[in-house]
Amino acid sequence: MVDMAESGCPTCINIPETTGTSEGAVVVEGFGLHSGAAARVVVRRCDGPVRIGTNGLEARIDEFRTVSTDRATTVEANGGALRVATVEHAFAALAGLGIYEGVILVVAGPEMPILDGGASVWCDAIARLAVAPTGPRLRVVREAAIAVGASRYELAPNGGAIDLEVRLELQDVRVDSVARWHGDKDDFRLRIAPARTFATAADVEDLARRGLARHVDPRSVVVLAKDAIHSSGRPFSPDEPARHKLLDLIGDLYLRGGPPLGRIRALRPGHAATAHALQLAVHQGALAPI
């Protein structure tokens, strides 16, 4: 296990062939954003739909359900026996690369590691397996407007292309409020995946009081304070928070087989709101499987 306090970064390393796959596997190691616990994920090729495994159990993505959205997305399957937290960045990488089949992620730890704060390390790991992309499993079939608290989601068919837009309302003139993605895999890797987790100074203080966010590499997080925007490593870009919210949205949509073919405009999206909006959209007939 790599000590991030010493190395200063997460790892993504090839391991020898031990899983019965012809292409081997990739190990991703780091620490959980909220628990601070060490996490190790083996990403390897497999037959059939994408699966997640932990504690000797595994399940297909479509067998999972969202059970918690407290600052991250936690999913479970097998009646709660299989439970993994902070899945949204790994799921976003799978969605962004168009991977719905041929991969299993075997997780050791209570949550996925925070890694680079975005999805770039996940993209690198998945891409090394050279799994052929496939299409989304979901489509927008009719127009709908869904409000969940302060969040609003507008859906519309558009001829069969992915078109996602996120709009923030941070009331901060230093931050651009809009980010969009049209489903291009290279654009996802170059522009969306590198967008780091962000938090306000008040969020950071709250996490510290709760004993959370231990072992976080400062380079993986952007902190929006009143007097300055704090970021280590790569320079901050004004649209980075919006791009990260877009990344989170892509990851949360993946659980249902998305992002769907069609147009979605999300105003003030969040993990809880997106999970509820997805349920409503399916129930109302705005989203349907392909």
Side-chain angles (χ1 to χ4, degrees):
M1 190 66 65
V2 172
D3 185 348
M4 285 179 60
E6 294 179 358
S7 70
C9 64
T11 64
C12 176
I13 56 176
N14 287 318
I15 63 172
E17 169 55 42
T18 58
T19 60
T21 62
S22 60
E23 299 297 331
V26 176
V27 171
V28 175
E29 295 179 330
F31 290 88
L33 172 62
H34 303 292
S35 67
R40 183 178 190 267
V41 183
V42 178
V43 186
R44 62 177 173 85
R45 297 185 67 154
C46 71
D47 294 328
V50 169
R51 302 198 300 275
I52 305 295
T54 190
N55 297 325
L57 302 172
E58 63 180 55
R60 302 187 312 270
I61 287 292
D62 65 334
E63 295 177 303
F64 283 87
R65 64 188 183 94
T66 301
V67 294
S68 175
T69 53
D70 182 14
R71 297 184 180 273
T73 298
T74 299
V75 298
E76 69 175 32
N78 292 7
L82 202 170
R83 183 182 178 104
V84 183
T86 319
V87 298
E88 58 271 19
H89 297 173
F91 284 7
L94 290 162
L97 297 180
I99 304 299
Y100 298 86
E101 298 178 353
V103 172
I104 181 170
L105 286 73
V106 182
V107 185
E111 66 174 321
M112 298 282 196
I114 181 62
L115 303 175
D116 59 346
S120 289
V121 175
W122 291 115
C123 284
D124 292 345
I126 295 163
R128 291 185 191 188
L129 300 180
V131 174
T134 55
R137 305 306 198 240
L138 201 62
R139 179 188 299 272
V140 179
V141 293
R142 71 171 183 83
E143 293 187 2
I146 298 172
V148 181
S151 304
R152 181 178 173 86
Y153 300 79
E154 298 177 354
L155 296 79
N158 68 350
I162 293 173
D163 182 2
L164 298 180
E165 178 183 293
V166 160
R167 185 175 296 272
L168 307 182
E169 289 192 351
L170 293 178
Q171 308 302 323
D172 190 331
V173 297
R174 301 168 300 178
V175 175
D176 291 343
S177 62
V178 178
R180 296 185 72 178
W181 183 56
H182 296 285
D184 182 83
K185 298 171 183 61
D186 290 336
D187 180 47
F188 180 86
R189 290 194 71 172
L190 292 173
R191 190 173 59 88
I192 308 302
R196 295 163 290 185
T197 297
F198 71 95
T200 66
D203 290 333
V204 173
E205 292 172 0
D206 178 61
L207 289 170
R209 283 194 300 270
R210 297 165 61 185
L212 304 176
R214 302 184 300 274
H215 298 290
V216 172
D217 185 338
R219 291 173 296 181
S220 67
V221 180
V222 173
V223 178
L224 306 177
K226 290 183 179 180
D227 59 340
I229 295 177
H230 303 284
S231 65
S232 299
R234 188 175 67 253
F236 172 76
S237 174
D239 70 339
E240 189 169 6
R243 284 187 285 117
H244 186 82
K245 276 292 187 181
L246 181 57
L247 185 155
D248 281 347
L249 177 64
I250 292 168
D252 289 338
L253 291 171
Y254 184 77
L255 191 61
R256 287 275 190 170
L261 300 178
R263 186 174 70 248
I264 296 181
R265 301 286 181 265
L267 174 64
R268 297 186 296 271
H271 296 302
T274 298
H276 190 48
L278 270 173
Q279 291 179 338
L280 291 174
V282 171
H283 179 73
Q284 296 173 10
L287 287 173
I290 296 175

